[in-house]
Amino acid sequence: MRRVQDAWKQKLRHAIDCDLRSFFDTVNHDRLLNQLRLKNGSGNASPRQRHSKSEAKSQRLRNEVKLLRLIGRYLRAGVVLPDGTREATPLGVPQGGPLSPLLANISLDPLDKEIERRGHVHARYADDFIILVDGKMKAQRVMESVTRFIERKLKLVVNGTKSKSGPLIESSFLGFCISSRGSIKWTAKAYARLKQRIKDITRRNRGHTVQNVIDELRRYATGWMNYFGISRTYREVLELDEWIRRRVRLYHWKQWKRPRARRRNLIKLGADPSEVHMATRSRKGLP
């Protein structure tokens, strides 16, 4: 996102946002293994040096064959379904596997090189990428040419319904967008997912202890803020903090159940005893 923001400062304010359809499920194994093959050469050297390099090269080639065979077995191992049957995997890399992100980057490396060769600024994370240019018509042309390269050269499929070109402020990337002033902010969709997840965690009929709810809430909120921390939305963070605290108070209130327990706990927390009665004896139910 810092790269996208730098592009905005360079007046590159039109974006090509391409979505690869089922990328992890459609990676061609043979093409990927060919990209992994090492390229070796002896160069100009004396006979003894060439002999030594030849032996080293032979050893590297043997190791390469073993490594490629192991990766090939990893790719074609198949998937065990819940009923115990095994489903073949003639294409794709296993999602969630520790090796998959690296293999995905290797398979899309030609795309990075092609975009750089054309002189365009772009940012990519796994199969999500965005290209920045300085005009509407140019954005449309680049999108068409990049789509042809992806489908003809890389044998991948571009999702036409989700891919688009247009003003950068109307595009999103990895849950972020660029404001009209060039600052980074999270998208409304990402914010809505956050609030829904917090509602699920603090749902008052879960039956979990308050401490378990707070621990789960802390882990999720900390991870979310670590990811979206570069967004300049301090006011929204304060509002979000106030809303989360209210959700936690309501969860406490539900756990205390009876007016006597609510009175006792409120006084223990330092509430004014003269005001506790109105809160604990209210017949309006939970807020």
Side-chain angles (χ1 to χ4, degrees), residues 49-66:
Q49 289 175 329
R50 284 199 296 269
H51 178 71
S52 177
K53 289 185 177 181
S54 178
E55 290 182 350
K57 179 179 178 180
S58 298
Q59 182 60 43
R60 286 196 298 269
L61 289 175
R62 286 193 292 270
N63 292 337
E64 176 188 349
V65 170
K66 292 180 181 179

Side-chain angles (χ1 to χ4, degrees), residues 90-104:
L91 292 172
V93 294
Q95 292 197 46
L99 191 60
S100 297
L102 175 60
L103 296 178

Side-chain angles (χ1 to χ4, degrees), residues 19 35 86 119 161 186 196 207-208 245 253 271:
D19 180 79
Q35 288 180 258
R86 184 180 295 273
T161 59
W186 58 58
Q196 183 57 53
H208 292 205
R245 290 176 182 275
W253 196 255

Side-chain angles (χ1 to χ4, degrees), residues 31-166:
R31 179 180 293 274
L32 175 58
L33 291 173
N34 284 334
Q35 288 180 258
L36 289 169
R37 298 186 191 281
L38 302 177
K39 296 180 180 179
N40 298 294
S42 59
N44 296 323
S46 66
R48 180 176 295 181
Q49 289 175 329
R50 284 199 296 269
H51 178 71
S52 177
K53 289 185 177 181
S54 178
E55 290 182 350
K57 179 179 178 180
S58 298
Q59 182 60 43
R60 286 196 298 269
L61 289 175
R62 286 193 292 270
N63 292 337
E64 176 188 349
V65 170
K66 292 180 181 179
L67 178 61
L68 291 176
R69 185 182 297 121
L70 179 61
I71 294 175
R73 292 176 62 186
Y74 167 80
L75 293 172
R76 300 185 178 95
V79 178
V80 178
L81 301 178
D83 60 1
T85 60
R86 184 180 295 273
E87 182 179 293
T89 52
L91 292 172
V93 294
Q95 292 197 46
L99 191 60
S100 297
L102 175 60
L103 296 178
N105 277 333
I106 292 172
S107 64
L108 288 178
D109 186 62
L111 174 62
D112 295 335
K113 297 295 191 295
E114 177 66 16
I115 296 174
E116 292 168 1
R117 186 186 67 80
R118 298 182 184 189
H120 300 312
V121 175
H122 83 294
R124 182 176 68 81
Y125 185 88
D127 60 328
D128 293 327
F129 68 96
I130 187 170
I131 306 172
L132 296 314
V133 296
D134 59 359
K136 179 179 178 181
M137 299 302 296
K138 186 175 181 179
Q140 293 175 350
R141 292 196 303 270
V142 171
M143 181 173 179
E144 293 172 359
S145 62
V146 168
T147 299
R148 286 195 300 269
F149 176 83
I150 293 172
E151 295 184 341
R152 295 178 183 178
K153 298 293 185 179
L154 303 183
K155 306 300 181 183
L156 298 171
V157 180
V158 175
N159 191 335
T161 59
K162 294 184 178 180
S163 301
K164 64 177 182 178
S165 64

